[in-house]
Amino acid sequence: MTDEPGGGAFDKHRNLLFSVAYRVLGVAADAEDVVQDTWLKWSAADRSQVADPKSYLVRITTNLAMDRLRSAQSRRETYVGPWLPEPILTSTDTADDVATADTVSMGLLVVLETLTPLERAVFVLKEAFGFTYAEIAEAVGRSEETVRQAAHRARGHVRARRPRFPTDRTRQRAVTERFLAAAAGGDINTLMQLLAPDVTLWTDGGGKVRQAIRPITGAERVATWFAAVAVQPYQGIEPINMAIEVVELNGQVGLVFGDGGRIVATVTFDLNDDGVITGIHDVANPDKLRAVTARTIHHL
């Protein structure tokens, strides 16, 4: 794209545009499509009239993402089992990135699914990228007062459903590795110690692979579920042949399961401030594992 007029300005902000679109949509493939559509609009625009390319591009991306989200929401209502966002491999290199990484976590993206497209876009632009209300108002084509009200509703909704727990990466990794070892060994007692009493497990198979159709709640039920699946073949892979990697998924320490050449599931954890697991997101729908399979690492 850089060979075409305006390509340099577009490429400079491409990562930002994907980051906005992905947080609004929760689907990497859809976010990439939005970025491509943004490029088409940008390349056809009279850029001599564009004073601020960044704001102009963000405005296009945000509106395209909201339009796509509106059409996607009706399809998600008929989805088989829980709908979870598409996981992506990420890289957060400094401590300053931790707060930003939280805005792309699976737990938060699940909560954002319950917002209206406008509320979600406003929340993303304000909380993840620090745009002013005036800038957001221009981006979404609403008054500043409307944007402030949408931000207030969105923040209240998110805080009520997902309190923020600043868990450091070292603790995330330690808990994840302990959980993996306990599950593989069928150690229900250790699993119970790692899980909050009201922990919830969401599994997303999309009706295409074997997964729980409804969320599983309660430490004993979740521990028993993981201990059981750890000793059963899954999608033709025997437990002894299951390759498991500890990676960074959506700004968190997570697990990728496969057989070397094929990815069959990802798992991420929500932890509270004491390092206890409060939520687990297990994505196994093959359609949602393409970004991880491609090994594309996003710097969000």
Side-chain angles (χ1 to χ4, degrees), residues 20 23-25 58 61-63 65-66 69-70 112 115-129 131 136 139-140 147 150-151 154:
V20 170
R23 285 174 171 85
V24 173
L25 291 163
V58 168
T61 296
T62 301
N63 283 282
M66 285 196 297
L69 181 60
R70 291 185 185 99
L112 295 187
L115 302 179
T116 68
L118 176 62
E119 289 170 347
R120 184 164 183 167
V122 169
F123 182 89
V124 165
L125 293 176
K126 183 63 178 174
E127 301 298 322
F129 301 102
F131 283 86
I136 298 171
V140 300
V147 164

Side-chain angles (χ1 to χ4, degrees), residues 43-262:
S43 61
D46 180 3
R47 291 185 295 277
S48 66
Q49 303 300 312
V50 178
D52 185 348
K54 176 183 175 182
S55 296
Y56 185 86
L57 289 165
V58 168
R59 181 168 73 247
I60 296 173
T61 296
T62 301
N63 283 282
L64 287 172
M66 285 196 297
D67 288 344
R68 188 172 283 252
L69 181 60
R70 291 185 185 99
S71 62
Q73 284 181 329
S74 60
R75 296 194 301 273
R76 292 174 190 178
E77 290 174 0
T78 60
Y79 193 79
V80 178
W83 188 97
L84 293 178
E86 179 183 358
I88 57 175
L89 295 167
T90 56
S91 174
T92 49
D93 300 324
T94 69
D96 292 339
D97 290 328
V98 173
T100 300
D102 184 64
T103 66
V104 79
S105 68
M106 294 292 283
L108 180 60
L109 291 179
V110 168
V111 174
L112 295 187
E113 279 296 306
T114 61
L115 302 179
T116 68
L118 176 62
E119 289 170 347
R120 184 164 183 167
V122 169
F123 182 89
V124 165
L125 293 176
K126 183 63 178 174
E127 301 298 322
F129 301 102
F131 283 86
T132 66
Y133 288 119
E135 290 170 331
I136 298 171
E138 182 178 357
V140 300
R142 302 292 201 281
S143 70
E144 189 170 336
E145 180 58 29
T146 297
V147 164
R148 287 181 179 275
Q149 292 174 357
H152 178 74
R153 290 193 303 269
R155 279 196 300 268
H157 192 91
V158 169
R159 287 171 181 166
R161 288 158 180 78
R162 188 177 183 269
R164 280 197 172 188
F165 296 111
T167 304
D168 64 72
R169 198 64 49 83
T170 301
R171 174 176 279 185
Q172 284 182 7
R173 188 176 186 93
V175 172
T176 299
E177 291 177 344
R178 281 191 68 199
F179 183 94
L180 178 59
D187 186 351
I188 292 181
N189 287 335
T190 297
L191 288 174
M192 292 282 288
Q193 294 172 10
L194 295 171
L195 300 170
D198 59 350
V199 63
T200 299
L201 163 65
W202 291 270
T203 65
D204 180 346
K208 300 184 178 185
V209 296
R210 188 182 78 236
Q211 286 290 333
I213 298 297
R214 295 180 180 82
I216 300 171
T217 303
E220 184 173 358
R221 293 181 65 203
V222 171
T224 301
W225 191 88
F226 272 102
V229 299
V231 296
Q232 299 174 7
Y234 186 71
Q235 296 190 45
I237 305 175
E238 295 291 334
I240 194 172
N241 296 323
M242 184 69 77
I244 306 172
E245 297 178 74
V246 180
V247 299
E248 184 178 314
L249 290 168
N250 291 76
Q252 303 170 284
V253 177
L255 300 171
V256 172
F257 295 80
D259 61 359
R262 180 170 55 120

